[in-house]
Amino acid sequence: MRSVSLREVEVVASLVLAALLSTCGGSNGSSSPSSSSPSGNNVQTVVVNGGPTGNYTNGVFTNVTLCVPGSSSCQTVNNVLVDTGSFGLRILASALTLSLPQQNDASGNPVVECAQFVLSTMWGPVRTADVKLGGEVAGSIPIEIVGDPGFSTVPAGCSNHGPPQQTQAALGTNGILGIGLFINDCGGACSVAGAGNPGFYYACAGSGCQIIAQPTSNQVKNPVAAFSGDNNGTLLQLPTVSASTSSVSGSLIFGIGTQSNNTLGSAKVFTVNGAGNLTATFHSNSYPSFLDSGSNAYFFLSSSASGIPACSTQASGFYCPSSPVNVSATNRGANGTNNAVNFTIDNAATLFANSGENVLPSLGGPNAGSFDWGLPFFFGRNVFTAIETRNTPVGTGPYWAY
Amino acid sequence: MPGLCVVTAMRTISRAGVFCTLLLAAVAAFPTLGEDVASVGADGVRMNAQVRVVVDQAYSVHQLSSPSGTIVREFVSPGGTVFGLSWQGPFTPDLRQLLGTHFDEYVQASQSDQGHIAHMVHVESGDLVVESAGHMRFSVGRAYLRSKMPSGVTADALR
């Protein structure tokens, strides 16, 4: 078991290093973010606020610079949502003035994507760009341009998976920066023809759009995985938020254990199953569990299972306890790492009532089938997302660490 | 109803009730939420699916595994009505097919304006409840009609 031995050596080395750093820096060894702002070519500033529409709840946003591949013809798009629950960069056509080259299929027809999110779809052409974040560059990668007027007709086969959300008013962002565990947005399922193809990629000729087999190399992909360095994952670092507020800032740091500002320290590593999930246990029942900075709240359990009253129509889809409720659930990785997560849920109708506050650390809602650790989970934690197949000081991705 | 024929032929008694397994290599189809299970053939979602039928006292469960790997379970009342469904797998199933006439209602309810932009998992509209969660490459959810739930069955059974 040579690889295991090597990994153990690496773990020990990492722990020793962490202990040394802890001693030198006077750190208390926790994995919560430090108070000073990190700096370096691998650091991208992020902000949690109401976003471009001013009323987005618990969204973490950043700027993304796009360039025509190999050129200095560039544009910076602001208010792009940082999402550890998806893979690939999607920009609203309405936020883009730069003309980027279209990706075509083998027959020369433009490739258009139906990106399937759990609550909605995004339809638009696949174009190629150099993507710049901090001092890092993902050279000539496929991205999706959402809501392009040149491809305004969404096929029924796409919208049947969920309503298309194509505008800033509907989405509350200018785009989505998907930096989750995987490299490609669909993966192998979309690279084959036939009934098993879930229908992310279409080729559009004059007669209409047809689902195609799209090789993974041509799929919209996680920009971090395409950097020349610091490309094994990310660290999202947000401060503790003890009460509702209007704005907080933090850092998205590229790479895991590649520079002094992205060491794992005392963070625990949780490997995932094939679907990219951990397991969360609450009162002896287990659920698929995941860390999703693109989710607006803690979404977990049914109202009957959690014992927390659901809101009436005023804040339907969220929890409305009469007073704050403390909840504890245990995350478990495929590697057996356990961690009890303690959090507080407050009354969503009350939280929503103050329109100036969009950072709501105690917002939660029902979700009977899984534990969705949304953005409030990230407050006060260093959350590492290790990308599939990439080596890190403690082993190969995919994994979460916090 | 081909499922029930096979159920009769293959049934075995177990502690939890009567369990029956039906494996279809050929094309299978399934009905939509709120419709009668006998309307299977007219609905048109066709999957090269493996179908398993589990019959309990209060309801039966039709389980289909789609070619892209998502498992759909349909919960059928003793009267033959699909009162609920659930799914889990890498991709969200065709919700218009599964929800049928309730799809548009779901879409409208999911986009209701509450002053804040916050995308909730749990969507209600009158009799209809839909929950859709997950992340890219993982989808889990359920839908049910409150008025069609058999007596004594709660939504927590729909997993």
Side-chain angles (χ1 to χ4, degrees), chain A residues 55 85 118 160-161 184 277 304, chain B residues 92 96 115 117 132 135 137 156:
Chain A
N55 65 344
V118 290
N160 286 354
H161 289 274
N184 301 300
N277 292 327
S304 60
Chain B
T92 306
R96 182 181 289 278
I117 296 181
S132 182
H135 50 79
R137 293 216 230 165
D156 286 339

Side-chain angles (χ1 to χ4, degrees), chain A residues 123-168:
Chain A
W123 172 255
V126 177
R127 301 219 163 108
T128 306
D130 290 347
V131 176
K132 299 184 178 177
L133 292 158
E136 315 274 7
V137 182
S140 197
I141 61 166
I143 67 171
E144 182 184 10
I145 308 301
V146 177
D148 189 289
F151 300 91
S152 57
T153 304
V154 183
C158 179
S159 55
N160 286 354
H161 289 274
Q165 293 203 320
Q166 313 270 71
T167 64
Q168 189 194 75

